[in-house]
Amino acid sequence: EAGVVQSPRYKIIEKKQPVAFWCNPISGHNTLYWYRQNLGQGPELLIRYENEEAVDDSQLPKDRFSAERLKGVDSTLKIQPAELGDSAVYLCASSFRKGYEQYFGPGTRLTVT
Amino acid sequence: AQSVTQPDIHITVSEGASLELRCNYSYGATPYLFWYVQSPGQGLQLLLKYFSGDTLVQGIKGFEAEFKRSQSSFNLRKPSVHWSDAAEYFCAVIKEYGNKLVFGAGTILRVKS
């Protein structure tokens, strides 16, 4: 079974530029999560989708971050414009339903210069 | 708000020695508890989980964890560490079924030969 796929794995951009991350969850998983992991810390949830509906986006900085999961399968997380403080690893995870075991992708390491 | 504390940022053990990684949580009721492992450049992999029942939980790769309600702890153990166990370990909790995971800051395990 294929795991959670994320791309790109690494991204270096200058501040004020836009950036987008893509995630393809495990087939059949209805719940998709985006986390941000700062250096030396555990992941923190940014947004959770149940199918195509964002049901928990309370931690998403909505002034610059946006996310979509149009067909309830893959998802895109966007930052526009990026700031230096956005440098982190962005992890995508999926689960069969909410509360079930979450499977994580390898993450995208973002560096903003 | 619920929180997870991993008091050890780094731990170094000799190959073949036993290991215990500490985790304490702050929450009135019994949450659902997890241990994840993250190798460099990789996503998080679930080692084990505790929902209810037997307080000693067996996981993958020879790991086990014991839930102690009186101490609000969920420490991870392994009787004999292998060099391949070198990684970062995260304890995480869900307050109740279906809620978001809250992670600790992680413990980096180094294994010396």
Side-chain angles (χ1 to χ4, degrees):
Chain A
E1 164 182 287
V4 177
V5 179
Q6 289 188 249
S7 67
R9 292 293 310 276
Y10 305 91
K11 189 73 176 180
I12 301 174
I13 60 172
E14 295 182 346
K15 62 181 180 181
K16 300 185 182 180
Q17 294 301 305
V19 65
F21 315 124
W22 177 79
C23 171
N24 191 35
I26 292 173
S27 177
H29 281 193
N30 299 319
T31 307
L32 184 146
Y33 312 77
W34 282 103
Y35 289 85
R36 178 168 58 189
Q37 185 177 18
N38 293 315
L39 188 65
Q41 298 181 21
E44 294 180 325
L45 181 70
L46 290 173
I47 189 168
R48 171 168 65 93
Y49 280 93
E50 297 290 341
N51 298 303
E52 62 273 6
E53 182 182 0
V55 296
D56 184 356
D57 62 355
S58 57
Q59 301 301 310
L60 189 73
K62 298 181 182 63
D63 57 336
R64 298 182 300 107
F65 285 66
S66 64
E68 60 183 15
R69 194 185 184 198
L70 293 176
K71 296 183 179 179
V73 180
D74 57 346
S75 175
T76 302
L77 178 68
K78 298 178 181 177
I79 308 174
Q80 183 171 10
E83 298 179 352
L84 294 177
D86 296 330
S87 294
V89 175
Y90 291 83
L91 293 164
C92 180
S94 70
S95 64
F96 178 58
R97 291 198 186 103
K98 68 175 183 179
Y100 282 69
E101 176 179 336
Q102 294 183 31
Y103 294 83
F104 284 80
T108 296
R109 182 176 296 277
L110 173 67
T111 301
V112 182
T113 63
Chain B
Q2 61 192 98
S3 66
V4 180
T5 302
Q6 294 181 245
D8 303 304
I9 299 175
H10 297 98
I11 281 186
T12 300
V13 299
S14 297
E15 191 169 16
S18 64
L19 170 70
E20 182 170 30
L21 302 182
R22 296 182 290 166
C23 173
N24 293 94
Y25 63 91
S26 171
Y27 181 63
T30 301
Y32 300 110
L33 300 156
F34 306 80
W35 274 100
Y36 283 84
V37 61
Q38 186 176 35
S39 298
Q42 303 297 314
L44 283 78
Q45 181 183 22
L46 181 67
L47 287 175
L48 47 78
K49 59 191 176 189
Y50 173 77
F51 283 3
S52 64
D54 192 345
T55 56
L56 185 61
V57 180
Q58 301 297 319
I60 62 171
K61 305 184 179 186
F63 286 91
E64 66 178 25
E66 185 172 14
F67 168 60
K68 293 185 177 179
R69 184 191 308 272
S70 61
Q71 299 176 18
S72 297
S73 69
F74 188 56
N75 293 349
L76 182 71
R77 301 194 296 246
K78 187 170 185 177
S80 178
V81 170
H82 187 262
W83 63 267
S84 60
D85 293 323
E88 189 162 15
Y89 292 79
F90 292 93
C91 182
V93 304
I94 290 179
K95 182 175 69 175
E96 60 188 19
Y97 194 78
N99 273 20
K100 65 180 182 182
L101 273 174
V102 175
F103 286 86
T107 297
I108 296 172
L109 172 65
R110 299 192 179 106
V111 180
K112 60 181 181 180
S113 57

